[in-house]
Amino acid sequence: MGGVTDSGSAPLPATDRPEAAARLRDALLSASFTADGLLELLGAPAYAALARSETVPALRATRGDTPLEALVRLFLLQQPVPRARLTDVLPVEDAVDAGWLKPVGGDELAATVDVRPYGGPDGEDWFIVSDLGCAVGGAGGIGSRDEDVVLGVGGASTTLAGITVRSPVAAALDLGTGSGIQALHAAQHATRVTATDLNPRALHITALTLALSGAPAASLREGSLFEPVKDDETFDLIVSNPPFVISPGARLTYRDGGMSGDDLCRSLVQQAGDRLNEGGFAQFLANWQHVEGEDWQDRVRSWVPRGCDAWIVQREVQDITQYAELWLRDAGDHREDRAEYQSRYDAWLDEFEARKVKAVGFGWITLRRTGSAEPSVTVEEWPHPVEQPLGDTIRDHFERVDHLRAHDDAALLEGHFRLAAEVVQEQVGLPGAEDPEHVVLRQHRGMRRATKVDTIGAGFAGVCDGSLSAGVILDAIAQLVGEDPVVLRDRTPAQIRLLVEQGFLEPLG
């Protein structure tokens, strides 16, 4: 991947010119070609429109002659820019020689790749490289039919980055790296990063993303799923935003995994267990089929490998017509010949009907390698708004699983708990009623859960500040309400376990 290559699409910049990438990065930063700089220049509406692949507002906002406007037109809007406008902004000769720019027309220059500013979680100024017109993911706006096209940052990419556990680790693996966003994030907290992809063009672009963002280089390996990984190689973190779309055939590499139904996601999850070090996490985005006569939760639960705890969250469900239309439009098929579009639509429905699939679920799968003889597997549906990033929330979930697994009811009552931050209590009932019909505890952070509790549970949670044990608190409540403390101690641990599991109560010690 040293020189400028052509793998079926447009030639790409060289990856063996780190000094050219460093000088280009310095020039971009000097001109405020950053996420914050773009927002200030374009304004919120035009900036948001770019994320929808709509360029007209940004074109209108960059009609001036400032260096930043020239760079936005060049790298994000794919507009040729006179060389004279760029001479004092970029290391032009370097950029042309390394393949970042190419001469077009008279004395104009054009970008060979999309370069999109991307703000890191701690305020870093990064740049995501992708194929022309693909900066924000989703090929529907470009009409591209190149099967090896590499997309940039889309909603799925940022979702996975947000849910990933960000503990310092020795080794991380990004399966199906695409434009390299997950590898870029992992490079900030992993000593060694390995990135794989079936598409050699994606590996080339990942190398460009890392270099232009000033990140350490990764070990880049070509192949499908775990094929490029050595038999004895294990990791502390595995992440993947795979080509999970359930489609007839494998027309687009970035989208279609080439396996039947949801077999690709199942294989990925099942194979991950043997590749994790003890305590290591594997985190994926996935689709799964809702098959007639089958519980979807049982289906995905069966994917979990031995020796792993799991937390699987279904975020969305689409019926088969919605699902087919979404991905046909994503590929721009709706803009082609109407008969061809209908033929492809029919093929999707034929495939689903043959498999008795009535809907498709989308969500997150997190595995954690555990030494426990009784792994914990939680499968749930949560379509409600959450607060990203969720990495800490997910790590805390598994730590609470460990605590509950290690403490029987007697030990639980000896423990101390603290009410989680920003939990509020809501009382629901008829106006003027003496007592509420029910009490709801609601989180304003993380998963933003809400759960019903009885008056004992609400009172218990409200007193939990870590100073008294659970048993002592229950004894005091029993005295206040006139209940037998032994009976209260017997029936309350199940409610305490639920509140701990869902993150309303934090165990101490």
Side-chain angles (χ1 to χ4, degrees), residues 419 423-427 436 438-441 451-464 473-474 477 492 495 499 505:
L419 187 66
V423 172
V424 299
Q425 175 179 306
E426 300 172 359
Q427 297 188 167
H438 58 263
V439 179
V440 174
L441 299 183
T451 189
K452 289 183 183 179
V453 292
D454 59 21
T455 54
I456 300 298
F460 177 85
V463 176
C464 282
I473 293 174
L474 288 179
I477 292 176
T492 307
Q495 193 166 190
L499 292 175
L505 292 179

Side-chain angles (χ1 to χ4, degrees), residues 406-490:
H407 291 74
D408 61 17
D409 286 356
L412 204 66
L413 292 176
E414 292 296 320
H416 294 240
F417 300 90
R418 179 175 56 213
L419 187 66
E422 296 192 42
V423 172
V424 299
Q425 175 179 306
E426 300 172 359
Q427 297 188 167
V428 180
L430 293 173
E434 185 174 342
D435 296 311
E437 292 178 20
H438 58 263
V439 179
V440 174
L441 299 183
R442 188 179 301 278
Q443 301 168 350
H444 283 279
R445 304 299 300 272
M447 293 293 286
R448 293 178 173 168
R449 294 187 186 277
T451 189
K452 289 183 183 179
V453 292
D454 59 21
T455 54
I456 300 298
F460 177 85
V463 176
C464 282
D465 61 3
S467 61
L468 301 174
S469 71
V472 169
I473 293 174
L474 288 179
D475 289 345
I477 292 176
Q479 186 173 2
L480 283 173
V481 299
E483 278 207 41
D484 184 337
V486 175
V487 173
L488 199 60
R489 277 176 173 255
D490 282 345

Side-chain angles (χ1 to χ4, degrees), residues 35 61 76 113 122 205 238 299 306 317 333 337 347 412 430 459 476:
L76 280 184
V113 288
D122 296 315
I205 283 181
I238 299 172
R299 183 181 191 87
R306 284 185 178 183
V317 181
D333 291 328
D337 177 76
L412 204 66
L430 293 173

Side-chain angles (χ1 to χ4, degrees), residues 33 37 110 354 457:
F33 188 66

Side-chain angles (χ1 to χ4, degrees), residues 325-374:
E325 290 164 14
L326 169 67
W327 293 109
L328 287 167
R329 288 180 175 276
D330 175 84
D333 291 328
H334 60 301
R335 298 180 179 179
E336 292 190 345
D337 177 76
R338 185 66 182 173
E340 181 67 22
Y341 172 78
Q342 291 179 337
S343 175
R344 286 179 174 161
Y345 199 150
D346 264 334
W348 284 68
L349 297 186
D350 286 344
E351 179 84 5
F352 284 134
E353 289 176 8
R355 297 181 176 278
K356 297 184 178 180
V357 176
K358 57 184 180 180
V360 177
F362 167 82
W364 320 324
I365 297 177
T366 299
L367 307 177
R368 184 190 59 166
R369 190 75 187 176
T370 178
S372 173
E374 298 182 6

